[in-house]
Amino acid sequence: MTSAPGTGFDIRPSATLSRFGAGIVALATAAPLFTGLPRTIAWLLAACLAWHGCRRLVAFRRSAIVSLRWTLDDAWSVRLRGGGERPADLKDARIFGTSVFLRLRWRDGEGRVALLPDNTPADDLRLLRAHLSTRQAP
């Protein structure tokens, strides 16, 4: 029996997760304004939350992992933003509906990848979900 060689994923930020994160930042920013804090402190806290939330969203959208390769025999490799391809180990995988969330570790670092229907081809995502749902836990 022959098997497919696996697939590669070009990592792009998910518009769905970005909008969801922006909504959370907006709600967190507005929250201090509805408390009993003095107005000056509430506005200062809201500004700090907005600044920190925006920084985290930008960092989330600029992943260290540029692309991910996977073969059906569970060999993973990552290509990093700074250049270079490294073999990686899959430390954790979560399937949530049609989305897959991965945590990978390589020799000098670690990264997380969110593969959703809006940033990954449907066939590749379906193949990965099927493989991950049948494999043993790490």
Side-chain angles (χ1 to χ4, degrees), residues 25 50-62:
V25 169
W51 176 78
H52 182 70
C54 289
R55 268 189 52 221
R56 296 302 303 160
L57 276 175
V58 168
F60 167 74
R61 291 185 54 85
R62 186 174 164 81

Side-chain angles (χ1 to χ4, degrees), residues 4-121:
T7 190
F9 302 96
D10 289 327
I11 307 302
R12 295 177 293 130
S14 168
T16 302
L17 278 182
S18 297
R19 283 192 296 269
F20 185 68
I24 290 173
V25 169
L27 289 173
T29 299
L33 303 177
F34 296 102
T35 64
L37 291 172
R39 279 293 175 225
T40 306
I41 294 174
W43 280 101
L44 184 61
L45 183 58
C48 289
L49 287 170
W51 176 78
H52 182 70
C54 289
R55 268 189 52 221
R56 296 302 303 160
L57 276 175
V58 168
F60 167 74
R61 291 185 54 85
R62 186 174 164 81
S63 174
I65 301 172
V66 174
S67 68
L68 173 67
R69 284 191 316 151
W70 158 72
T71 61
L72 288 179
D73 59 348
D74 257 355
W76 295 83
S77 67
V78 293
R79 192 171 50 133
L80 303 176
R81 184 170 301 284
E85 190 162 326
R86 298 204 169 96
D89 294 322
L90 179 64
K91 291 300 176 186
D92 192 25
R94 304 279 182 189
I95 298 172
F96 185 75
T98 59
S99 305
V100 177
F101 299 90
L102 305 172
R103 185 171 61 99
L104 299 149
R105 186 173 291 156
W106 54 92
R107 186 172 50 109
D108 297 331
E110 179 175 281
R112 297 175 191 274
V113 175
L115 301 172
L116 280 77
D118 68 346
N119 69 346
T120 307

